[in-house]
Amino acid sequence: MFARASRGKLSQHVSRPLHISPNDLYLPWLCPALYAETYRHRASSSLTSPQTSNHTRAELSKSKDPNPTLRSKSRGLASATAFDYISPADDYVPFESQPRERPPAPFQLPWIPAPNAATAHDSAAAEPPLVIKDSLTTKPPRFRSFDAITGELGDIKTTMKACLHVGRFDRAAVLLRRLNMLYKPDAPALLDVHNDYIREYAWKIATTRDQRLLNNLQRWFEVEMRGRGMAPDAQTYAFMIQAVMQDVSISRSTRSVRRYLHLAEDQGLRDELMNVLLTVLNEQDFGRVTRIDMPPMGTSTLEPPPSEEIASPSTIIHDPDTKLPEVRAVDSKLPGWKALRQSLSVFSDSSMAPMLDSFEGTAEEKSKRLAIERQLRMEQDTYEAAIERWRSDNEHLKSVGINSALKQNAFGAMMWKWHEAMEPAIQEEIRLANEAEHKAIKKEGDEDRCQYGPFLQYLEPKKLSAITILTSTMLLGTAAGGDRGTAVTRLVTSIGEAVQNESVAQLLRTTRKYKGVQQASGGVSAVDVRKELRKRRRQATAQSSNPSTRAFDQHEWSKVVKARVGAVLLSKLFEAAKLQVRRKHPDNGSVFEETQPAFLHQYVYVAGRRIGVVSLNSSLHDQLAREPIAASLAQKYLPMVVEPKPWVGFREGGFLTSTDPLVRLPQSDQQSKSYSTIAVDNGDMAQVSAGLDVLARTPWQINGSVYEVMLEVWNSGEAIGTFAPENPQYKLPAESDGGDKAAYAAYLSEVRSIGNEKAAYKSLRCYQNFQMEIARAYLNETFYFPHNVDFRGRAYPMSPFLNYMGADLCRGMLTFGVGKALGPTGLKWLKIHLANVYGYDKASFEERISFAETHLADIHDSASKPLAGARWWLQAEDPWQCLAACKELQNALNSPDPHEYVSKLAIHQDGTCNGLQHYAALGGDQMGAQQVNLEPGDRPSDIYTGVSELVKEDIAEEARQGHKLAQMLEGKITRKVVKQTVMTNVYGVTFVGAKLQVSRQLKDLYPDFPSTAEINHSAAASYIAKKIFKALANLFNGAHDIQYWLGDCASRIATALTPEQINHIEAAVKGTLDEPNDYKRKPLTRKTDRGYKNDLLAFKQSVIWTTPLKMPVVQPYRQKTKMNVITNLQKITLNNPSLADPVNKRKQLQAFPPNFIHSLDATHMLLSALQCEQQGLTFTAVHDSFWTHASDVETMNGLLRDTFIRMHSEDIIGRLAAEFAIRYKDCMYLTAVKLHSRVGRRIKEWRGKSASSGRCRGKALEARKLNELLEERKRLALLASQNEEEMKRGKGMVTAYSLFEDMDGEEDLAAPEDLKDVKLGSLSMSASSSAARANKVLADRRLEVGDEDNIDPAFVQEDVSGLAESGVEEDTLVTNEPEIPAAGGKRRGRDGAVKGKSPVRKIWLWRPLTFPPVPKKGEFDVSRIRESRYFFS
């Protein structure tokens, strides 16, 4: 009785906030995280990852402030330059208090001092980086298959969810009982699965109010959970309460809710339960729960929340301009073309105009509602639209008396026939799958159907058919896919992926619709309390992933499931897809028709392996190759006619109905996904999201006057500007009779080249056709581009066909959607912009202005008579942008007051080789700063011109010496030839990549270049690329120290073991490994698994860092493991990526320097975007090219300089080193010293005295490495002890690393072999300075630039892992790593010929993971950028 009274009192206390003033609210039970200390760890879910982890807690960093935009000034690691983003509506503008004349004060990290900092900081304010401890992740266990149930736990769980979703609760129960047989009752993973089962069951009950299902669920809870000894958690009780709230009996429902509340209270889960209920129940039901088991205190209910507001719309529908001609189609009968026009019909559909009268509110509100309706219609179901289009095409042909059954020229109708045949076949397959589940004895085919059958029922058969047809034709319609065929593996996984994505999208649409209906049933009282409750509810929801992310996590299919679903659907397409082909009789030449399959499944041999491929019937290939069939799927990704949704979650933002992620990641990259989603949940990516929202809110319009010229040119079919010619003319080579093999080979090569060029022009023209058609539809519109970022933080528009990042054609037709008067400076910048896009961009500003003024007659002629005049604008590097600038300048000059002319043209300010700018700032390199305009100067420096001049001089010298290729290239080296290679050199371009870049430029500039065995484009490109690298070595050496340091850090990280791994190894060696065993039965041993010892020593550490905007960046490069899957088509081999896989050391090392620089330029752009919006500027950017109105260029220039200085005033490399020191604390890494050095000989001698003297191989080598690792770890622990006796024991121990320390062996370290691939070359210098330079390289570990011998042509895919990655199987390592040349260094063969540099023999040792000293920064003062006129110009 007393207990019951106390519970009643507690209930009154819990519900009291609903009946008092919101000002008095103090509800820690609503969201304990808002009031208590935040958690430092997050449990990893076994359901959201395809692998399991022995380490179930992740070390995280979470803010104590629930509002990520209102955080304290305390900054996390590498985020000191991040600032609190203030809404434009806020009066506070942070930069107004910082005069631009003074450099900003250096930022400090309050939680950790910078290296060599003079002052210490309070560690209490520490905010460590986000760290997820996942190094002990292993492959998921596998059990024996049973009753058509796979042995893969992940697939069992996914299949169970599929059964629940499609209403197969009986089959879901069978699968869950199988898991009960495998898991122990107290296994956390088993509770997670039961919660999934109850959640889906509760959701179904909530949507159907089926009382039979409710009874079944309650019975399951009592018998299968509590009856088997399982302890429910807060989520279990929350889902049960959600279900019983649907009981038709109010009294019974109240009793059930009260019981679950009391059970939760007995387990100490009451507060957590109420917190979870906030995210599960609607407000009406939540209010009811809080009133249960307490005296009535009023009948008021909570007002339903208002509908979500979507940003302001574009202009309402206008009548189409009847004078503007149509865009002439490449082929109007093609399916993608029709699909695009149907998608764009929303802009000319007069039936939507009367909807305005049905809306309530002001004219602006009506316009907004109409724009939202149009946007939703554009994002409508793509596959439903495709089916309707096919049906329409078929009915049209029937209406005119044409039988479209098998006519390939009626493409849409033909697809309809395929669809008509596929749909019943899929229905029959589903029926057979359902029957197979109930068979007592299941055959092999029945077992397969039981495993993939539920997934076929996520979607209707008609939609499955459409997905299969569109995905297959899209992949096979490409030149490569249709001509040479597409691997079955790629095809079936792509179909499975498309089915999964559409399934989850449909699930989300259904869920949102249901929640909207639920919330619409609420009352209208207690408004203030409702607002406060909704606020707390949002805060509670913020503690977990957003709904879209959770849906994808919970319903993501494994690769095996995708492959099996895709295979069965593809097999149905093979059966259904036929076409009628005309052929000539081989004997009499008569023409006849026969039915042939549209797709051909066959096998080919690639590198000795038998590969299944699918190819198109040759009659169908030409038709599909004419256009990108992806246009049929593009309607969801057209530019938006309303402002995009702000990013509020990992999958919440951008398009109104899409669930595309904030960060573009492969679905298999679980580590990056974990870091990104947790960072979003923590609010760490709030400023990244805010920056993307700034870009998304930038309005755009089509430049009508330029588009009219484009349309005229397009319809003429001429190759004017950047348009591809409609009918390119080629002079075919004289046919060779084959007598001369060399001549015949040259003839075939030229014919193939012409054919490839024709196909390329055709493809380009089709693509431009779509761009022109989209632009025409948007002529009277204001539109927007939603954005997301790649894993490094670089922003990209999500609309693929038409956006401002496109080529000259797209940029020329786009203008801002709002204009600004030119003002006192705008006219000047308009003239400078015209000179820039013309190609006169390396002169001073005064010269560029003079250039525009000198060519005013040409400008007026181009603007007034673009096609009938002299066509001066066509000589520009970017002709369409030049034409747009000509028209804008003419309009301004012809206006009564040019300064008052309202301009919408976007003016560009481009960085000078931006990657090198960041490197120069990071290293304080004075010479480098001058080369890339960080240092003030009277004229802009141009590194591209400097390189081209050095290349010219070198070629001229060799030409004088009689070099034939040099003689042929004299006078042909231009700035354009070298620009791309110089630009990408800093981002790690390989020599092969540089060669291809130069080759493309040569072919464009000199198509008639000789093509002989000795002199041809390829030979010339290789020769010039070498000269470019050599020139870079002479011009630029400031980035080398930083670049080498980054590569060295990555090399160490990629060969390191974590403390968790070492603890695990120690327990395994001692036989005391106490691994958590959640299973009743022993898992099977995988044949493909590596040996246990080898797996212990696998290196699994990715290079991870945090950008200045607090975005975690995870390099996703791991060695790939493969698995065989048997499908109904064939056995296929799938990549099976996992966190358990070792990292790919070579890729981790080579990619880190360029990825790090990319993350910095992305940070600079987003910071600039935020600051520009604060100042009221319209802003957008293409990575390192920043755009705004002409009148605001000078303001933007000041802001982007401020943000760059703000970034680089911080010790970014020092912060990175500090982050690495924390992130990889207590790791041990495997390094090597030169065998014949002092240290190397001493270590070898010491090992020789051990019991196992001599060389070790295989398991003996592994055992030695394990033992030495543990001995070194023990020695370090003793030395760190406060006990003098233990310290003495530690000092007395001898290990390889103790010998290394005693002999100060840093100089004897052998540089990691892969570090040479980071080098961009070596400086050319005299022989006298060679030895000194070599010693400096050895001491400072400098990175060289320019020697192509140090450039690896491509990333090498390793087939081995961990310690065996370098092929090491001996105690003494022998590699091909060249020594730093001292005296000689050449190796001669038996004939005395020079064979190359002698290999360095190495010997390994373990040492604590420390990082090399940060390179000393140069004297360049980054604040001088503020005085540089040409930093961005």
Side-chain angles (χ1 to χ4, degrees):
M1 178 175 178
F2 289 110
R4 187 164 183 79
S6 65
R7 280 196 289 264
K9 185 175 181 180
L10 177 63
S11 298
Q12 285 187 2
H13 173 71
V14 167
S15 302
R16 178 175 175 269
L18 295 177
H19 308 280
I20 60 176
S21 169
N23 296 327
D24 300 328
L25 287 178
Y26 176 76
L27 311 178
W29 53 268
L30 280 177
C31 190
L34 301 181
Y35 301 96
E37 286 294 322
T38 57
Y39 294 105
R40 283 291 175 193
H41 298 81
R42 174 184 292 257
S44 60
S45 172
S46 61
L47 299 180
T48 59
S49 176
Q51 58 273 330
T52 60
S53 176
N54 296 327
H55 198 90
T56 58
R57 308 292 285 181
E59 185 180 345
L60 302 176
S61 164
K62 287 184 123 181
S63 171
K64 296 183 181 180
D65 189 338
N67 189 342
T69 63
L70 297 176
R71 294 191 168 201
S72 69
K73 298 302 179 183
S74 172
R75 290 296 168 213
L77 188 59
S79 63
T81 59
F83 56 87
D84 292 327
Y85 177 66
I86 309 299
S87 167
D90 200 305
D91 294 333
Y92 173 64
V93 180
F95 266 36
E96 285 188 345
S97 61
Q98 299 180 5
R100 190 165 298 139
E101 291 74 14
R102 294 183 301 170
F107 293 89
Q108 299 294 332
L109 288 174
W111 63 275
I112 185 170
N116 303 320
T119 58
H121 300 280
D122 183 9
S123 61
E127 189 180 355
L130 175 63
V131 178
I132 302 176
K133 295 182 177 179
D134 51 17
S135 61
L136 293 184
T137 301
T138 59
K139 293 284 187 180
R142 181 170 59 89
F143 296 87
R144 194 174 302 280
S145 298
F146 174 78
D147 191 26
I149 300 174
T150 178
E152 302 284 351
L153 291 180
D155 287 347
I156 296 176
K157 297 169 186 176
T158 309
T159 307
M160 186 199 74
K161 293 176 185 178
C163 292
L164 290 170
H165 177 70
V166 302
R168 300 304 308 273
F169 297 106
D170 51 348
R171 181 63 179 173
V174 171
L175 294 168
L176 190 47
R177 289 191 179 99
R178 173 60 176 164
L179 293 174
N180 285 338
M181 296 170 61
L182 300 177
Y183 281 106
K184 294 179 179 178
D186 59 348
L190 183 61
L191 178 60
D192 290 341
V193 180
H194 275 271
N195 282 344
D196 287 337
Y197 181 84
I198 294 174
R199 179 182 58 245
E200 295 293 335
Y201 226 121
W203 185 85
K204 183 68 70 173
I205 293 169
T207 54
T208 63
R209 298 183 68 87
D210 189 323
Q211 302 301 295
R212 180 182 59 84
L213 294 179
L214 177 58
N215 293 335
N216 292 342
L217 179 59
Q218 290 179 302
R219 187 181 303 109
W220 181 276
F221 175 79
E222 299 296 341
V223 176
E224 299 292 342
M225 285 195 68
R226 301 188 73 228
R228 292 181 179 272
M230 295 183 62
D233 62 3
Q235 287 192 13
T236 315
Y237 290 122
F239 298 141
M240 291 302 300
I241 289 174
Q242 180 189 26
V244 299
M245 294 294 287
Q246 311 306 318
D247 198 325
V248 294
S249 170
I250 300 298
S251 60
R252 189 165 58 237
S253 172
T254 300
R255 288 196 302 272
S256 298
V257 171
R258 187 178 295 119
R259 178 170 182 271
Y260 296 137
L261 289 173
H262 294 166
L263 288 173
E265 183 179 349
D266 292 341
Q267 292 180 235
L269 299 173
R270 183 63 177 265
D271 288 353
E272 185 180 354
L273 170 60
M274 300 304 291
N275 197 25
V276 175
L277 285 173
L278 273 171
T279 64
V280 172
L281 302 179
N282 61 41
E283 292 172 1
Q284 181 184 12
D285 286 346
F286 184 81
R288 182 183 160 201
V289 168
T290 60
R291 292 191 298 272
I292 287 179
D293 197 23
M294 60 175 288
M297 298 183 66
T299 59
S300 63
T301 58
L302 293 175
E303 180 182 335
S307 58
E308 181 183 359
E309 291 191 0
I310 304 177
S312 58
S314 68
T315 315
I316 62 172
I317 294 178
H318 295 283
D319 293 332
D321 187 353
T322 55
K323 296 180 181 180
L324 196 65
E326 295 287 334
V327 178
R328 190 156 65 86
V330 173
D331 188 341
S332 60
K333 296 180 180 179
L334 293 175
W337 178 255
K338 292 184 177 180
L340 182 65
R341 284 205 162 180
Q342 181 174 335
S343 302
L344 297 173
S345 63
V346 66
F347 296 106
S348 58
D349 188 355
S350 59
S351 65
M352 296 194 71
M355 294 177 65
L356 278 174
D357 298 332
S358 64
F359 298 144
E360 298 180 356
T362 64
E364 182 179 357
E365 292 170 340
K366 289 182 177 182
S367 174
K368 175 179 177 179
R369 286 287 305 278
L370 180 60
I372 293 172
E373 290 298 326
R374 295 164 68 208
Q375 182 62 37
L376 291 173
R377 177 170 165 181
M378 289 166 59
E379 296 181 25
Q380 68 180 342
D381 193 311
T382 303
Y383 301 107
E384 293 282 0
I387 294 171
E388 184 57 36
R389 186 167 58 251
W390 299 340
R391 180 188 294 111
S392 175
D393 288 349
N394 184 64
E395 291 177 353
H396 171 71
L397 291 178
K398 282 185 177 180
S399 67
V400 296
I402 298 177
N403 180 10
S404 64
L406 298 171
K407 297 292 184 181
Q408 67 184 72
N409 56 348
F411 199 88
M414 182 172 62
M415 283 187 169
W416 172 251
K417 292 303 179 182
W418 296 355
H419 173 70
E420 279 189 322
M422 271 195 73
E423 187 176 357
I426 295 173
Q427 291 173 341
E428 177 63 15
E429 185 65 29
I430 293 173
R431 185 188 67 79
L432 292 174
N434 292 336
E435 284 185 358
E437 292 177 3
H438 297 92
K439 289 183 179 180
I441 301 177
K442 298 180 175 64
K443 300 179 181 179
E444 184 176 352
D446 295 328
E447 292 181 355
D448 292 341
R449 286 191 170 103
C450 288
Q451 292 175 11
Y452 64 69
F455 298 94
L456 293 177
Q457 299 177 58
Y458 264 97
L459 303 172
E460 295 178 334
K462 66 176 182 179
K463 187 169 287 189
L464 292 174
S465 170
I467 291 173
T468 307
I469 293 172
L470 287 174
T471 304
S472 301
T473 52
M474 180 178 68
L475 288 176
L476 292 167
T478 62
D483 192 15
R484 296 188 295 270
T486 297
V488 170
T489 300
R490 182 188 178 199
L491 203 53
V492 298
T493 52
S494 297
I495 294 172
E497 184 100 9
V499 174
Q500 174 206 252
N501 292 342
E502 182 61 22
S503 299
V504 177
Q506 180 167 294
L507 176 66
L508 287 172
R509 287 193 293 266
T510 305
T511 304
R512 288 168 178 167
K513 181 178 179 181
Y514 163 69
K515 286 185 177 179
V517 173
Q518 265 196 324
Q519 294 178 354
S521 61
V524 291
S525 59
V527 176
D528 291 336
V529 175
R530 172 190 58 76
K531 290 181 178 179
E532 183 65 21
L533 185 59
R534 188 178 300 119
K535 174 184 175 183
R536 301 300 170 86
R537 182 175 182 171
R538 286 196 300 267
Q539 293 169 347
T541 304
Q543 303 303 312
S544 60
S545 299
N546 58 79
S548 298
T549 304
R550 290 199 303 273
F552 268 84
D553 290 344
Q554 294 163 3
H555 294 273
E556 187 171 346
W557 303 351
S558 69
K559 284 201 167 187
V560 175
V561 170
K562 294 175 188 175
R564 285 179 172 157
V565 169
V568 70
L569 292 174
L570 185 61
S571 67
K572 302 305 174 186
L573 179 61
F574 287 166
E575 297 170 5
K578 310 292 181 183
L579 73 161
Q580 201 79 359
V581 178
R582 291 187 176 184
R583 298 184 59 189
K584 285 187 177 183
H585 196 283
D587 296 331
N588 54 30
S590 61
V591 178
F592 66 97
E593 291 187 351
E594 67 175 5
T595 301
Q596 293 183 356
F599 303 93
L600 307 176
H601 179 203
Q602 54 194 339
Y603 291 91
V604 297
Y605 284 89
V606 178
R609 296 179 57 204
R610 189 167 179 258
I611 304 293
V613 298
V614 177
S615 55
L616 288 171
N617 189 302
S618 58
S619 300
L620 189 60
H621 173 251
D622 292 340
Q623 191 171 4
L624 279 178
R626 294 175 194 167
E627 63 161 330
I629 198 69
S632 299
L633 307 175
Q635 69 183 62
K636 294 168 64 174
Y637 298 102
L638 291 171
M640 299 180 66
V641 294
V642 296
E643 283 188 11
K645 287 193 305 183
W647 285 104
V648 295
F650 186 71
R651 292 186 181 273
E652 295 288 338
F655 290 100
L656 302 187
T657 61
S658 173
T659 54
D660 292 295
L662 172 67
V663 185
R664 303 180 179 191
L665 298 171
Q667 289 196 355
S668 59
D669 186 5
Q670 290 295 327
Q671 190 176 30
S672 295
K673 183 178 178 182
S674 297
Y675 270 92
S676 296
T677 53
I678 293 173
V680 171
D681 292 345
N682 290 352
D684 291 340
M685 291 183 63
Q687 295 189 71
V688 172
S689 300
L692 293 177
D693 294 339
V694 171
L695 300 177
R697 285 194 294 268
T698 298
W700 295 90
Q701 289 179 346
I702 299 297
N703 189 329
S705 62
V706 174
Y707 181 79
E708 288 181 7
V709 180
M710 290 179 173
L711 187 57
E712 184 178 350
V713 172
W714 171 262
N715 287 340
S716 72
E718 296 181 52
I720 296 176
T722 54
F723 279 123
E726 184 175 20
N727 296 301
Q729 302 298 317
Y730 294 95
K731 182 181 179 181
L732 294 175
E735 187 171 353
S736 174
D737 57 5
D740 185 344
K741 292 185 177 180
Y744 186 66
Y747 163 76
L748 292 178
S749 176
E750 191 167 354
V751 170
R752 278 195 301 269
S753 177
I754 291 174
N756 291 338
E757 193 167 334
K758 280 185 175 180
Y761 274 133
K762 188 72 171 180
S763 177
L764 177 59
R765 189 161 177 86
C766 289
Y767 191 77
Q768 291 173 337
N769 196 165
F770 289 129
Q771 292 175 326
M772 291 294 294
E773 188 67 27
I774 293 171
R776 190 183 192 283
Y778 280 85
L779 269 176
N780 296 318
E781 303 292 332
T782 299
F783 50 91
Y784 306 85
F785 298 115
H787 290 68
N788 59 4
V789 296
D790 66 9
F791 77 97
R792 301 161 302 186
R794 297 194 111 192
Y796 294 90
M798 298 167 67
S799 301
F801 283 98
L802 179 67
N803 62 66
Y804 63 90
M805 280 194 183
D808 176 56
L809 178 67
C810 290
R811 298 186 186 191
M813 68 171 66
L814 291 174
T815 66
F816 287 137
V818 293
K820 281 192 176 182
L822 289 178
T825 61
L827 188 62
K828 175 187 76 173
W829 285 106
L830 186 55
K831 294 176 181 178
I832 292 173
H833 174 72
L834 189 147
N836 288 344
V837 295
Y838 190 85
Y840 192 72
D841 56 341
K842 296 308 169 186
S844 67
F845 287 145
E846 291 74 19
E847 289 170 334
R848 294 183 221 181
I849 295 171
S850 176
F851 173 87
E853 293 173 346
T854 302
H855 289 87
L856 279 179
D858 295 321
I859 292 169
H860 285 297
D861 179 77
S862 297
S864 304
K865 300 178 291 182
L867 299 177
R871 298 188 177 186
W872 174 81
W873 60 279
L874 286 177
Q875 302 172 29
E877 282 191 3
D878 299 308
W880 293 113
Q881 293 176 76
C882 181
L883 178 60
C886 289
K887 287 181 172 290
E888 195 77 353
L889 183 57
Q890 183 191 51
N891 292 338
L893 295 176
N894 290 344
S895 64
D897 183 356
H899 300 298
E900 296 298 322
Y901 174 74
V902 176
S903 173
K904 293 184 178 181
L905 193 67
I907 306 301
H908 310 172
Q909 293 289 280
D910 298 346
T912 305
C913 201
N914 191 239
L916 287 174
Q917 287 182 323
H918 282 286
Y919 268 128
L922 288 172
D925 177 27
Q926 189 75 37
M927 181 179 295
Q930 293 174 355
Q931 296 292 335
V932 290
N933 292 311
L934 300 188
E935 185 70 33
D938 296 333
R939 298 181 59 80
S941 297
D942 182 20
I943 191 172
Y944 311 121
T945 300
V947 170
S948 66
E949 290 301 321
L950 286 180
V951 172
K952 288 179 186 177
E953 293 175 8
D954 207 355
I955 290 177
E957 177 63 27
E958 294 191 4
R960 286 192 292 271
Q961 297 173 7
H963 194 290
K964 292 183 179 180
L965 188 56
Q967 293 172 344
M968 184 61 63
L969 288 170
E970 266 200 297
K972 292 183 172 61
I973 304 301
T974 65
R975 179 179 181 273
K976 189 173 183 180
V977 170
V978 307
K979 179 178 179 180
Q980 188 179 12
T981 302
V982 175
M983 185 187 306
T984 56
N985 191 281
V986 71
Y987 294 120
V989 67
T990 65
F991 177 68
V992 171
K995 177 182 172 181
L996 292 175
Q997 291 170 346
V998 174
S999 179
R1000 282 194 295 267
Q1001 297 298 334
L1002 290 177
K1003 288 179 181 178
D1004 289 343
L1005 295 172
Y1006 310 109
D1008 299 327
F1009 195 81
S1011 180
T1012 66
E1014 296 182 355
I1015 300 178
N1016 51 60
H1017 279 122
S1018 179
S1022 179
Y1023 177 75
I1024 294 172
K1026 293 178 183 179
K1027 300 300 181 185
I1028 293 174
F1029 280 104
K1030 180 180 177 182
L1032 278 171
N1034 292 326
L1035 270 184
F1036 211 100
N1037 59 15
H1040 312 156
D1041 294 328
I1042 298 293
Q1043 202 165 28
Y1044 190 93
W1045 184 87
L1046 294 171
D1048 198 357
C1049 289
S1051 176
R1052 299 184 184 202
I1053 292 169
T1055 52
L1057 296 176
T1058 67
E1060 294 77 26
Q1061 285 179 289
I1062 301 173
N1063 291 336
H1064 191 77
I1065 290 171
E1066 184 173 10
V1069 170
K1070 292 180 178 179
T1072 60
L1073 187 62
D1074 185 21
E1075 294 185 273
N1077 186 4
D1078 293 338
Y1079 310 110
K1080 297 178 181 178
R1081 305 187 180 189
K1082 186 177 180 180
L1084 300 175
T1085 301
R1086 296 177 180 270
K1087 294 181 180 180
T1088 56
D1089 284 348
R1090 296 179 297 276
Y1092 184 64
K1093 295 287 185 181
N1094 195 28
D1095 187 62
L1096 287 177
L1097 291 172
F1099 300 130
K1100 301 179 181 180
Q1101 286 281 64
S1102 295
V1103 180
I1104 304 172
W1105 70 97
T1106 308
T1107 74
L1109 288 182
K1110 301 193 71 175
M1111 175 180 173
V1113 181
V1114 181
Q1115 294 202 143
Y1117 316 115
R1118 292 183 179 271
Q1119 296 186 33
K1120 297 178 181 178
T1121 55
K1122 298 181 182 296
M1123 64 185 304
N1124 294 326
V1125 179
I1126 298 176
T1127 70
N1128 65 325
L1129 280 176
Q1130 66 172 68
K1131 183 173 77 172
I1132 61 177
T1133 301
L1134 298 174
N1135 289 326
N1136 188 30
S1138 165
L1139 278 175
D1141 296 330
V1143 296
N1144 187 314
K1145 177 184 174 182
R1146 181 181 293 270
K1147 287 187 179 182
Q1148 290 282 345
L1149 188 156
Q1150 290 180 331
F1152 180 39
N1155 284 340
F1156 181 72
I1157 295 300
H1158 277 309
S1159 71
L1160 290 185
D1161 68 43
T1163 297
H1164 180 223
M1165 189 276 286
L1166 291 173
L1167 280 172
S1168 299
L1170 292 170
Q1171 290 309 306
C1172 285
E1173 184 173 67
Q1174 293 290 339
Q1175 300 293 340
L1177 274 63
T1178 300
F1179 177 89
T1180 197
V1182 182
H1183 303 316
D1184 61 348
S1185 176
F1186 297 174
W1187 303 4
T1188 192
H1189 288 100
S1191 59
D1192 293 331
V1193 169
E1194 294 192 0
T1195 303
M1196 183 186 73
N1197 276 337
L1199 293 175
L1200 64 90
R1201 283 162 172 77
D1202 283 344
T1203 53
F1204 193 91
I1205 294 170
R1206 185 173 189 172
M1207 283 178 59
H1208 288 284
S1209 294
E1210 281 294 310
D1211 183 5
I1212 293 177
I1213 298 299
R1215 303 292 182 190
L1216 180 64
E1219 177 180 354
F1220 281 170
I1222 292 178
R1223 185 178 296 282
Y1224 303 107
K1225 183 181 179 181
D1226 297 329
C1227 291
M1228 300 283 289
Y1229 84 103
L1230 190 72
T1231 187
V1233 295
K1234 299 168 188 174
L1235 176 61
H1236 298 298
S1237 64
R1238 296 176 304 113
V1239 178
R1241 288 193 297 268
R1242 182 70 183 89
I1243 292 174
K1244 184 178 181 181
E1245 178 185 351
W1246 168 74
R1247 285 181 180 155
K1249 294 178 181 179
S1250 64
S1252 56
S1253 60
R1255 289 189 174 184
C1256 295
R1257 299 174 183 271
K1259 293 183 178 180
L1261 176 62
E1262 288 182 5
R1264 170 173 285 181
K1265 287 178 177 173
L1266 288 172
N1267 292 332
E1268 288 196 19
L1269 170 68
L1270 298 179
E1271 281 295 298
E1272 183 58 44
R1273 204 258 186 93
K1274 179 181 178 181
R1275 186 182 76 90
L1276 294 173
L1278 291 173
L1279 291 175
S1281 173
Q1282 300 298 319
N1283 185 296
E1284 291 186 5
E1285 182 63 27
E1286 291 183 349
M1287 291 179 63
K1288 184 177 179 180
R1289 286 169 50 201
K1291 291 178 180 178
M1293 294 179 65
V1294 178
T1295 64
Y1297 184 54
S1298 72
L1299 298 174
F1300 177 90
E1301 286 185 307
D1302 292 343
M1303 302 182 71
D1304 192 17
E1306 291 292 337
E1307 292 187 359
D1308 293 330
L1309 281 172
E1313 183 177 355
D1314 291 331
L1315 266 181
K1316 72 175 186 294
D1317 298 321
V1318 179
K1319 299 178 181 179
L1320 302 177
S1322 58
L1323 292 172
S1324 59
M1325 56 186 66
S1326 63
S1328 61
S1329 62
S1330 176
R1333 177 65 173 171
N1335 292 332
K1336 188 178 190 311
V1337 170
L1338 187 61
D1340 296 348
R1341 309 181 69 81
R1342 291 184 66 91
L1343 174 66
E1344 304 293 0
V1345 191
D1347 183 0
E1348 72 282 0
D1349 294 331
N1350 289 329
I1351 304 300
D1352 191 58
F1355 288 145
V1356 177
Q1357 177 60 49
E1358 305 286 357
D1359 296 325
V1360 289
S1361 59
L1363 298 176
E1365 182 172 316
S1366 59
V1368 175
E1369 290 295 339
E1370 296 185 350
D1371 181 44
T1372 301
L1373 312 185
V1374 179
T1375 72
N1376 292 324
E1377 171 70 7
E1379 287 195 66
I1380 301 297
K1386 297 292 185 179
R1387 181 168 58 91
R1388 297 182 180 273
R1390 294 181 180 178
D1391 57 356
V1394 174
K1395 297 296 185 181
K1397 296 178 181 178
S1398 301
V1400 175
R1401 296 170 65 86
K1402 303 177 184 178
I1403 188 165
W1404 58 267
L1405 73 153
W1406 293 101
R1407 65 181 298 191
L1409 177 56
T1410 57
F1411 297 97
V1414 173
K1416 184 178 179 181
K1417 201 166 186 177
E1419 299 300 323
F1420 175 67
D1421 181 4
V1422 72
S1423 65
R1424 288 180 58 77
I1425 294 173
R1426 190 171 282 108
E1427 303 171 18
S1428 173
R1429 302 177 69 196
Y1430 303 105
F1431 168 55
F1432 269 63
S1433 63

